[in-house]
Amino acid sequence: MEWYYVDASEEQAGPVTQPDLKKLFDNGQVTLETYVWGENLDDWKPVSEVPELKAALSKPKPKPKPKPKPVPKSPPRQADPLAALRKGKKKKKKRVEKKAPRQPDPEPEPTPMESSKTADVKETKFSPMDAEAAKWRTLYTPQGVAYYHNTENNSTTWDKPDCLKTSEDQDKEGDWYWMPHKTEAFVPCKKVCVNSNGSWTVETEEGATVTVNKKRCPLEALHWSQLRSPVSDLVLLDVMNRPLILHNLMKRYTANDIYTNVGTILIALNPYKRLPL
């Protein structure tokens, strides 16, 4: 059966079923004073004047069944202190033989190649300049001449940076000059000191010490980067002086290159040599 009722705002609401009306009654939206109407009523009446509806709405909710109390667990059994002893007597003692520890297999002797690699690794030492050296790249021209590129500031130079120099390069640091020589024309020498009489004490690459009178024999400055590679045209030299020109010609002659240009001028060296006859 469906019912209509008057809500709190005095407006007609419904239709709703009797179970829904019971929910509204339980929530307090419908009371005993609320007017309702159904098919069996001639007019609107309060819930309190409709006996069968009043009884259905006022029926208390069934109480939930109480949950059964948990059954307490039985206490754990106490272990028999003599059980282990009795059990131990029944078991026979097993004889345990101690085994000698296994000797590790001998390491195989390294091959000559591996020995050299190990030695290289041990001798490698990292210095604080490694971070600076990482900024430089060694590049080569088509002629095989090395030059150096700084990846940080994008600069290039012919001179090897200090962080890349080997012990041999460090031996060539200092003030170097071209010294006249009887057979080689000019040889590199390093300035050691200036004497009281104004002469210089210099040292050659072979370690020989020579005293040079600077006034009688002026020395041309030497930069090792100028000797990086012989050029086919002397115009390409960094400095056009006698020592560097003769050094370039000698290197080309040694490589069997007898022709060298000076712009439009050609220099030809006598290729004479004794044949094995």
Side-chain angles (χ1 to χ4, degrees):
M1 182 178 178
E2 294 182 340
W3 294 88
Y4 292 85
Y5 67 95
V6 179
D7 58 15
S9 60
E10 296 185 357
E11 295 290 337
Q12 177 181 328
V16 295
T17 61
Q18 189 164 313
D20 293 337
L21 191 64
K22 175 72 167 82
K23 293 179 181 180
L24 296 173
F25 184 84
D26 295 338
N27 295 336
Q29 298 180 18
V30 175
T31 63
L32 296 177
E33 304 300 327
T34 301
Y35 279 81
V36 294
W37 180 87
E39 295 179 355
N40 57 349
L41 297 180
D42 299 333
D43 198 1
W44 291 81
K45 293 183 179 180
V47 175
S48 58
E49 296 183 7
V50 184
E52 66 279 6
L53 182 59
K54 178 182 177 182
L57 298 182
S58 302
K59 185 177 180 181
K61 294 181 180 180
K63 294 183 180 180
K65 295 181 180 180
K67 295 182 180 180
K69 294 183 180 180
V71 180
K73 296 181 180 180
S74 59
R77 294 179 60 185
Q78 295 183 354
D80 187 0
L82 299 178
L85 183 60
R86 297 192 197 100
K87 189 176 182 180
K89 289 181 179 181
K90 294 179 181 179
K91 290 183 179 180
K92 293 182 180 181
K93 295 183 179 180
K94 294 182 180 180
R95 186 177 180 182
V96 179
E97 295 181 359
K98 294 184 179 179
K99 295 182 180 180
R102 182 182 178 184
Q103 296 293 335
D105 297 334
E107 295 183 0
E109 296 183 0
T111 61
M113 183 65 71
E114 292 175 349
S115 301
S116 62
K117 288 182 180 180
T118 305
D120 294 342
V121 173
K122 290 182 180 179
E123 292 177 2
T124 302
K125 296 182 180 180
F126 296 97
S127 64
M129 298 184 68
D130 290 338
E132 184 67 23
K135 302 177 184 177
W136 290 93
R137 291 192 306 161
T138 304
L139 305 176
Y140 296 90
T141 64
Q143 293 77 25
V145 182
Y147 65 100
Y148 306 94
H149 172 243
N150 189 309
T151 58
E152 185 173 342
N153 55 24
N154 203 29
S155 62
T156 57
T157 178
W158 294 109
D159 298 324
K160 181 180 287 189
D162 294 338
C163 57
L164 299 181
K165 289 182 178 179
T166 61
S167 57
E168 183 180 355
D169 297 327
Q170 293 175 357
D171 293 339
K172 293 183 178 180
E173 292 182 351
D175 297 330
W176 286 80
Y177 296 87
W178 289 107
M179 182 180 68
H181 194 269
K182 292 182 180 180
T183 58
E184 301 293 334
F186 293 94
V187 293
C189 67
K190 182 179 181 180
K191 178 181 176 182
V192 178
C193 64
V194 179
N195 302 318
S196 58
N197 60 358
S199 62
W200 284 11
T201 299
V202 297
E203 182 180 354
T204 64
E205 289 185 288
E206 291 76 18
T209 303
V210 182
T211 301
V212 179
N213 190 333
K214 187 73 169 52
K215 294 181 180 179
R216 295 182 181 179
C217 181
L219 304 180
E220 295 280 355
L222 165 63
H223 301 283
W224 290 103
S225 60
Q226 297 172 353
L227 310 183
R228 55 187 175 269
S229 179
V231 295
S232 59
D233 193 335
L234 297 181
V235 176
L236 301 177
L237 291 175
D238 294 339
V239 179
M240 290 282 287
N241 56 22
R242 291 177 58 196
L244 202 55
I245 291 174
L246 292 175
H247 173 80
N248 190 85
L249 293 175
M250 181 190 66
K251 289 294 184 182
R252 288 182 57 79
Y253 181 81
T254 304
N256 203 28
D257 293 328
I258 64 173
Y259 299 109
T260 304
N261 290 93
V262 188
T264 58
I265 302 174
L266 179 66
I267 299 176
L269 299 180
N270 190 347
Y272 169 82
K273 60 183 177 181
R274 190 177 296 278
L275 298 177
L277 299 177

